[in-house]
Amino acid sequence: MGYKILSKKEICPNQYELVIDAPYVVRNAKAGQFIIFRAEEDGERVPLTIADINKNSGALTIVFMAVGYSTKKLAELNEGDEIPDIVGPLGKPTDIKKYGTVVCLAGGYGAAPCYLIAKAFKEAGNKVYMIMGARNKDLIFWADKMKEACTELFVTTDDGSMGEKGFVTGVLERLMNNEKIDYAIAVGPMPMMRAVANMTRDRGIYTEASMNPIMVDGTGMCGACRVTVGGKVKFACVDGPDFDAHQIDFDEVINRTKIYKDYERQRDENCNLLKQAKL
């Protein structure tokens, strides 16, 4: 028995929101945790951060971009179809407490997990700024939901087609200059999270980054998701995914994420050739 898809939306070009009936996953899920899915019975295991939960209905929301083989397979499923496997919740939840003024920085589809995180920090009594960034307006989603989840929302786009022109770091710089920031968390592309860490380090602002390295089993056994934090090896699946951003070796993580790029490219080419042959 699989996990039934209750709804499917393409919220941005090639980016999808799935709402799934998964009461046993949702029951204990918290902000910052993730699930691992398989789009096929014999498919690979792929992690996705939990975007939203409804504990009353048991609905789980995930947001993903169809870029690799498995996420493309997942994108082919529709409302009423079933996902064969979902394991979760996995990882440690974000440490939610009252800091004072919190900044959540979301790059690209990192906005999805930031929704629950910002909402939890606001409910804990914090003043919460959310900064969402993307290349252009077509890649910004959930803006209305984000406004409800935080105290104030900022949107940036590289081309200026929505919100402020520039990067999330520009807004962060302004906020740091104008008031005391007590905590920051970044979710998104590795270069963005590294840039945020570099900015807040000198200001003494405790900052965490939600890491999404290569992952296989999700239980700390395979070691694929290892991250060097403060000179020590940590596993993102059981020790994270949130880590002290000032202690992460981002260069190492970025290099490791490139390991299978050529393999994925070749697999995509082979799949396209097979589809063309069937036509």
Side-chain angles (χ1 to χ4, degrees):
M1 181 177 177
Y3 293 81
K4 187 176 180 180
I5 297 173
L6 302 175
S7 69
K8 174 188 178 183
K9 296 178 185 176
E10 186 172 8
I11 53 177
C12 292
N14 205 36
Q15 194 156 308
Y16 300 88
E17 171 198 296
L18 292 185
V19 179
I20 305 156
D21 184 31
Y24 293 110
V25 176
V26 168
R27 179 186 298 170
N28 297 309
K30 295 181 180 179
Q33 291 185 293
F34 65 94
I35 56 99
I36 286 181
F37 77 89
R38 289 198 303 174
E40 303 171 301
E41 289 289 350
D42 58 350
E44 63 182 342
R45 294 161 60 84
V46 181
L48 286 174
T49 310
I50 295 170
D52 199 3
I53 53 176
N54 186 321
K55 291 187 180 287
N56 292 324
S57 67
L60 165 73
T61 302
I62 57 174
V63 172
F64 66 96
M65 185 176 288
V67 289
Y69 177 83
S70 291
T71 47
K72 287 178 180 178
K73 280 290 183 182
L74 186 62
E76 292 175 2
L77 300 178
N78 293 299
E79 182 177 326
D81 291 338
E82 292 188 348
I83 300 171
D85 289 325
I86 294 179
V87 178
L90 299 170
K92 293 182 177 179
T94 300
D95 186 18
I96 304 296
K97 59 185 178 183
K98 188 170 182 178
Y99 285 97
T101 300
V102 169
V103 179
C104 297
L105 301 105
Y109 61 88
C114 261
Y115 167 73
L116 265 187
I117 293 171
K119 183 179 178 181
F121 273 122
K122 186 179 179 182
E123 289 174 351
N126 294 281
K127 180 180 182 180
V128 181
Y129 291 119
M130 166 71 77
I131 312 173
M132 294 173 60
R135 292 194 305 275
N136 56 60
K137 65 179 181 179
D138 294 332
L139 300 178
I140 296 292
F141 63 92
W142 282 14
D144 290 338
K145 289 185 68 168
M146 291 300 182
K147 287 179 182 178
E148 296 178 2
C150 65
T151 307
E152 187 170 358
L153 172 67
F154 299 90
V155 174
T156 69
T157 48
D158 296 1
D159 62 1
S161 55
M162 183 175 178
E164 300 183 28
K165 183 176 183 178
F167 306 122
V168 295
T169 47
V171 178
L172 175 62
E173 178 74 26
R174 186 170 71 244
L175 291 174
M176 291 191 301
N177 290 335
N178 291 340
E179 62 183 287
K180 181 179 181 294
I181 305 300
D182 300 293
Y183 169 92
I185 184 167
V187 187
M190 294 290 179
M192 180 276 275
M193 295 193 291
R194 177 174 57 185
V196 169
N198 290 337
M199 289 182 65
T200 59
R201 183 180 289 106
D202 293 340
R203 303 286 187 114
I205 300 171
Y206 180 60
T207 303
E208 290 187 310
S210 180
M211 303 302 288
N212 56 347
I214 296 166
M215 194 177 292
V216 180
D217 74 283
T219 62
M221 296 179 66
C222 71
C225 66
R226 61 188 180 275
V227 180
T228 301
V229 182
K232 297 180 180 179
V233 175
K234 301 287 185 179
F235 297 142
C237 65
V238 291
D239 298 317
D242 299 343
F243 294 103
D244 183 341
H246 300 153
Q247 301 294 319
I248 296 170
D249 186 339
F250 280 104
D251 292 337
E252 178 188 64
V253 179
I254 290 171
N255 287 333
R256 292 194 68 245
T257 57
K258 298 176 182 177
I259 292 175
Y260 296 107
K261 291 294 184 183
D262 291 339
Y263 172 81
E264 286 195 350
R265 190 179 301 110
Q266 186 62 54
R267 188 173 187 177
D268 281 345
E269 290 175 1
N270 292 341
C271 288
N272 289 334
L273 289 173
L274 285 172
K275 287 180 181 178
Q276 291 173 10
K278 291 178 180 178
L279 293 174

